[in-house]
């Protein structure tokens, strides 16, 4: 984040200068926005509500400088939460047997709502390669901190059995390699034998 005096700083001139003197020289891909710009974020969810509530609570409190035009879910369980926050909710069934149809519906909605990026807030399905290619480095997954160290269906159980003394969360970019994308941020909390 940078602060400039709008009287003496010309955004377009500086963009051209940066492109010519740095970006071209180092083959960089880059973007710059003013604070007025609010990217449009789609939320993908399943049945777990804790990430959804955290994001929507921060959003409604004005902590997130973005717009959330829609929520997409492969289950209808959390529709009432979306309605409570007055955000359109779309139920798109999705599993390995109807993956192509689900993908088409997802992409159509994302394009209709002019979505800039996607956050998977405990969305329990694997994102399709086509969707990943359309939103390259613009899909963020949020999950527990143990992946990829404890892969599989019950990573918390495995970590507990192993005696892990920390718990936390990781956000990373989604790639075709499941849970292997570049890490954006992580945070942890210590746990002890007194916790269940």
């Amino acid at each position: 984040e940078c602060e400039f005096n709008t009287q003496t700083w010309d955004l377009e001139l500086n963009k051209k200068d940066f492109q010519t003197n740095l970006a071209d020289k180092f083959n960089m891909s880059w973007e710059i926005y003013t604070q007025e710009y609010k990217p449009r974020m789609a939320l993908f969810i399943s049945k777990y509500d804790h990430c959804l509530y955290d994001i929507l609570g921060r959003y409604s409190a004005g902590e997130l400088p973005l717009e959330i035009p829609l929520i997409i879910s492969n289950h209808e369980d959390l529709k009432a939460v979306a309605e409570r926050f007055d955000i359109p909710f779309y139920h798109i069934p999705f599993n390995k047997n109807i993956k192509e149809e689900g993908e088409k519906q997802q992409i159509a909605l994302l394009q209709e709502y002019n979505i800039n990026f996607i956050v998977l807030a405990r969305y329990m399905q694997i994102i399709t390669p086509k969707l990943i290619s359309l939103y390259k480095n613009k899909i963020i997954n949020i999950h527990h901190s143990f992946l990829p160290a404890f892969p599989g269906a019950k990573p918390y159980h495995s970590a507990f059995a192993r005696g892990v003394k920390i718990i936390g969360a990781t956000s990373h970019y989604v790639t075709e390699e499941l849970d292997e994308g570049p890490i954006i941020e992580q945070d942890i909390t210590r746990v002890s034998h007194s916790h269940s």
Side-chain angles (χ1 to χ4, degrees):
E1 190 173 310
C2 301
E3 223 174 280
F4 298 101
N5 184 329
T6 53
Q7 307 295 322
T8 58
W9 194 76
D10 183 319
L11 178 62
E12 292 309 313
L13 186 64
N14 279 281
K15 281 165 98 171
K16 286 178 188 169
D17 185 54
F18 187 87
Q19 183 67 43
T20 304
N21 294 311
L22 279 174
D24 290 342
K25 184 177 178 181
F26 294 103
N27 196 26
M28 292 172 62
S29 175
W30 68 283
E31 296 173 30
I32 187 171
Y33 300 97
T34 62
Q35 65 184 7
E36 288 78 29
Y37 172 74
K38 290 189 174 183
R40 297 169 64 80
M41 175 178 86
L43 280 174
F44 278 34
I45 61 171
S46 287
K47 292 183 176 185
Y48 296 106
D49 63 5
H50 54 286
C51 280
L52 178 63
Y53 271 120
D54 187 63
I55 290 169
L56 294 181
R58 292 170 191 272
Y59 175 64
S60 65
E63 290 180 32
L64 303 176
L66 49 78
E67 294 177 30
I68 304 177
L70 81 160
I71 294 171
I72 294 175
S73 180
N74 59 322
H75 295 283
E76 294 196 69
D77 299 53
L78 300 178
K79 183 176 183 179
V81 177
E83 289 171 349
R84 194 173 311 145
F85 285 88
D86 201 27
I87 297 173
F89 178 93
Y90 293 91
H91 172 234
I92 300 177
F94 195 97
N95 60 47
K96 63 182 178 184
N97 301 322
I98 54 172
K99 189 169 26 176
E100 279 185 40
E101 182 53 37
E103 175 190 72
K104 281 182 194 167
Q105 290 179 48
Q106 289 171 345
I107 291 169
L109 281 169
L110 295 169
Q111 290 173 341
E112 179 186 335
Y113 280 89
N114 298 312
I115 295 302
N116 301 112
F117 74 107
I118 302 163
V119 168
L120 310 179
R122 298 292 285 160
Y123 182 65
M124 307 306 286
Q125 292 293 324
I126 294 172
I127 301 301
T128 61
K130 184 174 183 181
L131 186 56
I132 292 170
S133 69
L134 287 173
Y135 286 87
K136 187 172 185 210
N137 297 325
K138 293 188 177 178
I139 304 175
I140 298 170
N141 189 18
I142 303 169
H143 59 66
H144 46 77
S145 63
F146 303 125
L147 289 178
F150 292 93
K154 295 187 173 184
Y156 280 120
H157 294 76
S158 301
F160 180 79
R162 183 68 180 86
V164 168
K165 297 293 185 252
I166 57 170
I167 192 168
T170 294
S171 61
H172 69 89
Y173 292 110
V174 173
T175 61
E176 286 195 48
E177 296 76 37
L178 185 63
D179 292 325
E180 295 286 344
I183 292 171
I184 301 165
E185 183 62 276
Q186 291 178 304
D187 201 4
I188 56 146
T189 298
R190 292 198 63 76
V191 293
S192 74
H193 64 281
S194 65
H195 296 98
S196 65

